[in-house]
Amino acid sequence: MSLAAETNESLAQMSNTLIYSSMAVYTLAFLAHIAEWVFGSRSKVGRTAAALTADTAASDTAAPAVSVQVRKAGGTAVLDKPQVVTRSGAGVRDVPDGPGAAGGTVKGDLYGRIAVSLTTLGFLIEASGVIARAIAVQRAPWGNMYEFSTTFSTVAVGVYLAFLLAKKNVRWIGLPLVTTVLLDLGVATTVLYTESDQLVPALDSYWMWIHVSTAIFCGSVLYLGAVGTLLYLFRDSYENKIANGGKPGAFARSVLERLPSAATLDKFAYRVNAATFPLWTFTIIAGAIWAGDAWGRYWGWDAKEVWAFITWVGYAAYLHARATAGWKGRKAAYIALIAFGCFLFNYYGVNIFVTSKHSYAGV
């Protein structure tokens, strides 16, 4: 074996070690996030419910029933105009954001900061593993599903940390993110693991750097949008129940009260999805150009191409629904989740279960 081959093999082994090490650190971050939520639940987190109740009471007192005068023979009778009850639309309620996973407690906040620090360390280790893999194979580390998955989780965590550096209130996404990353890496290192190898001829192109990198980035950001959308649905149901005089269970009061308001979560998901949609459009166009160079045609209705287009249509329908009366809020959120489900099927389903020119699972 030549010296270069031995060096590449050593780098590949180092990459595997770094990926496993990042999983260990992410596990510690997961436990720290759990501790943050547990200690945060011991604080008084009913401020959101109280604010909702106060807002409802204030609206009742601030808008008294309108009196209507009806003239009758010999006098005037005063009748009360019936009160019209309407359900607030999505994002209409003036509800403050929850105190966060830490619940306003010092100990909860301490564990939250530890969790973020560990997540940052896990990100740096995992990113080093991805770079080591790229050096070992001397190409972009996206030639199979194992490499794509490790890069995907790295970028997802990187985007999350970028939001935190930008002073955005997104620490609430830390626990679901770290949980997903551990699942992603667990599947990647067991089911999807593939030894380092060179690219198939169709992938050996500079368009791989353009097309696949944007696809990974889009998927990572759309994942964050999907988490925000899912939590919005739970939080919106919680706010509706309180506004209608219901009493949520103890678990809902402990967890959902600490999340941002439904309006905030809805706005976060919308902005993330809307900002990513043009880049996903570019991803499809770049893939078509790459297909023209590799196979002599820009579009061939291959399974991967079809599902990429279906995903694009799903997010286009979501953005259209957001601007359509009667489809804002929950209905649009359902469309967004369906669109992200199409993205997941395009990655896992098409690569593993469908025979196509894009079947580069390596498993």
Side-chain angles (χ1 to χ4, degrees):
M1 182 181 295
S2 64
L3 179 62
E6 291 180 355
T7 301
N8 292 339
E9 184 177 353
S10 298
L11 286 171
Q13 294 176 353
M14 180 188 298
S15 172
N16 296 339
T17 301
L18 289 170
I19 294 298
Y20 280 109
S21 299
S22 70
M23 293 176 65
V25 177
Y26 283 136
T27 301
L28 296 177
F30 171 79
L31 295 175
H33 273 300
I34 291 293
E36 178 187 17
W37 282 93
V38 169
F39 285 105
S41 67
R42 298 180 180 180
S43 67
K44 185 178 180 181
V45 295
R47 64 193 69 178
T48 304
L52 271 172
T53 306
D55 289 343
T56 303
S59 63
D60 291 342
T61 56
V66 178
S67 298
V68 179
Q69 291 185 347
V70 180
R71 295 189 178 277
K72 298 174 62 179
T76 302
V78 178
L79 303 178
D80 289 336
K81 184 177 180 180
Q83 184 179 8
V84 178
V85 180
T86 58
R87 180 172 181 263
S88 299
V92 173
R93 305 185 205 91
D94 186 15
V95 179
D97 291 339
T105 64
V106 175
K107 183 171 288 188
D109 183 66
L110 173 63
Y111 280 105
R113 292 177 182 274
I114 292 174
V116 172
S117 299
L118 289 171
T119 302
T120 303
L121 178 60
F123 163 76
L124 294 175
I125 296 174
E126 186 182 11
S128 300
V130 172
I131 294 173
R133 177 82 172 197
I135 298 175
V137 296
Q138 298 180 356
R139 57 169 173 77
W142 313 315
N144 50 64
M145 289 186 69
Y146 167 75
E147 296 174 353
F148 190 101
S149 296
T150 54
T151 306
F152 177 89
S153 57
T154 303
V155 175
V157 175
V159 172
Y160 164 70
L161 295 176
F163 275 122
L164 291 178
L165 285 177
K167 307 298 182 181
K168 302 298 181 181
N169 179 24
V170 295
R171 205 164 84 182
W172 48 268
I173 210 172
L175 180 58
L177 172 65
V178 173
T179 303
T180 305
V181 167
L182 284 173
L183 292 174
D184 175 74
L185 291 179
V187 173
T189 54
T190 55
V191 179
L192 303 178
Y193 181 75
T194 306
E195 294 291 343
S196 59
D197 199 359
Q198 294 306 308
L199 296 172
V200 297
L203 287 179
D204 192 10
S205 169
Y206 65 90
W207 278 105
M208 182 179 187
W209 291 92
I210 301 172
H211 172 67
V212 182
S213 63
T214 53
I216 292 174
F217 180 79
C218 287
S220 302
V221 180
L222 292 175
Y223 161 77
L224 299 181
V227 173
T229 301
L230 186 62
L231 293 180
Y232 155 74
L233 291 173
F234 285 114
R235 174 74 187 204
D236 184 61
S237 296
Y238 170 78
E239 292 181 7
N240 285 336
K241 190 168 187 177
I242 292 181
N244 293 327
K247 186 177 180 181
F251 180 79
R253 291 197 306 271
S254 174
V255 175
L256 297 180
E257 284 177 1
R258 284 180 277 168
L259 291 176
S261 66
T264 299
L265 291 170
D266 185 48
K267 185 184 298 182
F268 168 80
Y270 170 69
R271 289 180 174 177
V272 165
N273 292 331
T276 310
F277 181 73
L279 190 58
W280 182 250
T281 304
F282 170 78
T283 301
I284 296 177
I285 295 174
I289 297 174
W290 186 10
D293 287 346
W295 300 314
R297 51 78 172 164
Y298 294 102
W299 193 267
W301 297 104
D302 184 73
K304 178 73 71 172
E305 297 168 349
V306 170
W307 278 97
F309 179 69
I310 291 175
T311 302
W312 183 91
V313 171
Y315 279 104
Y318 163 73
L319 296 177
H320 178 71
R322 291 279 311 195
T324 303
W327 280 87
K328 294 180 179 180
R330 298 184 68 87
K331 291 182 180 179
Y334 292 138
I335 297 176
L337 291 179
I338 293 173
F340 185 71
C342 292
F343 174 86
L344 290 179
F345 180 80
N346 189 29
Y347 175 51
Y348 288 103
V350 172
N351 281 355
I352 296 177
F353 303 112
V354 179
T355 301
S356 73
K357 289 189 175 182
H358 291 81
S359 298
Y360 305 122
V363 296

